[in-house]
Amino acid sequence: MAEDVPQQYNIIRFSQSPLKDGNGHQSHCEKVVYFKGYDKVAFVEQGSKSLKMCTPDMQPYLEIKDFTQTPLCAEYIDKYSYVAVSCSDLTLSFFDADNGLKLARRIETKTAQLVLCWSEVAQVLFSADHEGRILAWDLTLVKSGMNKVYESGGGDPWRDFVKAVRRRDFSLSCFITRLEELLAPELRQALRQKDPKAAIRGLAARQLSDAFALPLLSADFCAQLLAAARGAREEAEKRQQVTPGLLLSARWYLNKIDGSFTDLFDRLLTDVLRIVDEALFAESHPIAYHQAYCINYEEGRDVSLKAHTDDSDLTVNVFLGHPGFSGSELMLLEPSDRDVACGTPRWKDPTYEGRSVAFRHETVGTAVLHPGDRWHAVEPLTSGSRWNLIIMAMRNDKEWKRTFYEETASHLAEKASWLAAGS
Ligand SMILES: O=C(O)CCC(=O)C(=O)O
Ligand SMILES: [Fe+2]
């Protein structure tokens, strides 16, 4: 009779595994998680301040002791080789499995995260707290030094995020943030007006005939970009990498820092900068693509830039920090024909005939916009550190490019005959 019970209830009997957990435990295990992709079993013993790991055959592997209180749960994220651990000291920590489980990032959380779960589909780390909130963590941004978390019940960004997850065809940045959140409040306001272009013109301060200063990005976003750029500089210097800098200055390209910046800045270009460009510059072709990098001047590093023009149609130069430096004014130059007859204008010589306007970056998020062919330079920095974001935008304009080369050719021919006449 007893023999029939399993059959009757469709019970499958498992034979006992010969494997035994021979690890002595201080107390009972409150959580046991299997890290798929890393092939480790992790467990938290009651009252312990560490996360212990063993191999699937129960051989002790490693212990992460870097906690001030009891870990609550853990998850392995194969894509980033991160072990994520939430702790009752209100932190969420990321340990790099490719780097001896060294602490890569620690983020403070408002509440204790009791559950962690990586979603392959959404490509985000979900966590849930004891107040019934679900949070979605964007690991690309976490890795690059920023925090972006979406809270359930958090209004539009959360709804956009859920919609994007449902569609399953989203690109990361479509839920990273609403573009509006990245913008300076004044510009956000201007874009909401009936005639946004007129509002933008009202906001812009003209520096030269074709150079304007305008509040562009929010201080918060600039701080995040700055943190990412500083991180990239640190990494590069640790590996003794020198960035390929034209005119000696060090540059950190955003797409190299983090691929997700590409999408974000593509949207910034098409949805915001294009309107700003149309408002300020009477060009018939809209800007279409871009390259963006961060540039830094600091004592003991690069401190200035010689006079040059950019390989862009429109340059957007945004101040990221830190106010309070001295020197390193952006010099906007309007040389006379004679000043450029031999190429680069010698704008510091007494013979210079043109204008030069010094622009001091003081407000984080404010951008100077000028055509790439506007001559400019950076004066030596004398103290502090200055970080800027440079967006080099191009117009998708075959006809313009053709005439550009024709114009360059005729300009060079003119210069050659002028030089020949003078010799
Ligand atoms: O740092 C600046 O203000 C200007 C940078 C610049 O001109 C460049 O990167 O081409
Ligand atoms: Fe430049």
Side-chain angles (χ1 to χ4, degrees), residues 251-268:
R251 287 150 193 221
W252 293 274
Y253 284 83
L254 290 188
N255 60 355
K256 292 272 189 318
I257 296 177
D258 192 313
S260 69
F261 279 132
T262 310
D263 273 359
L264 199 60
F265 277 78
D266 280 352
R267 283 172 61 220
L268 184 73

Side-chain angles (χ1 to χ4, degrees), residues 251 293 295 297 305 308 310 317 330 376 378 386 390:
R251 287 150 193 221
Y293 57 85
I295 190 164
Y297 309 86
L305 270 189
H308 67 282
D310 294 333
N317 176 338
L330 171 67
H376 57 286
V378 176
R386 140 139 120 74
I390 310 288

Side-chain angles (χ1 to χ4, degrees), residues 19 47 72 141 235 264 282 295 319 340 366 369 391 413:
L19 277 176
L72 295 168
L141 294 183
E235 277 299 306
L264 199 60
I295 190 164
F319 183 45
V340 286
T366 290
L369 296 100
I391 305 170

